Every structure is written in C-alpha cells, then in structure tokens.
Amino acid sequence: MTLAFWLLGRVGGQEPNLLGCAATAVLAILVGELGDGLRRRRARSRAARTPAGTGGSAG
C-alpha cells in the first residue's frame, strides 16, 4: 500500500516522501479496519434482532 501511495505521488507530479507514504498507508489501513469492524458489529446486531425464519434470502 505504501508503494501505491508513492506511485500515485509520482504520477501526480510530486516528489513523494517514503515515510509520509508509509504513514498514510498505516492510517488508511486503520480506517479500513475500523470501518470493517463497525460493519460487522452492525450486521451482528441486525441479525440478533431478526427473528429466526424471517428475512434473508431463500437459497
């Protein structure tokens, strides 16, 4: 991910700092993990409130 940010900086015409790109990558990963955790918590909460046999897809 650091490499992706570094390459984006190069394509954008800037001289990217590798340490800055690494810090941005860490921040992006943390935000993604927090978002995924919230999404999973929300799904569990909704599943717990839905009575068995209702909703969902029949498959």
Side-chain angles (χ1 to χ4, degrees):
M1 196 162 189
T2 299
L3 179 62
F5 281 120
W6 185 81
L7 288 172
L8 282 172
R10 295 288 291 186
V11 168
Q14 299 177 2
E15 187 59 40
N17 180 351
L18 191 59
L19 184 60
C21 291
T24 303
V26 168
L27 182 63
I29 291 168
L30 285 174
V31 168
E33 289 295 324
L34 286 172
D36 186 51
L38 289 173
R39 181 189 59 82
R40 289 174 185 255
R41 178 182 292 172
R42 219 170 163 192
R44 262 195 315 258
S45 176
R46 286 183 179 174
R49 285 185 282 157
T50 304
T54 63
S57 61

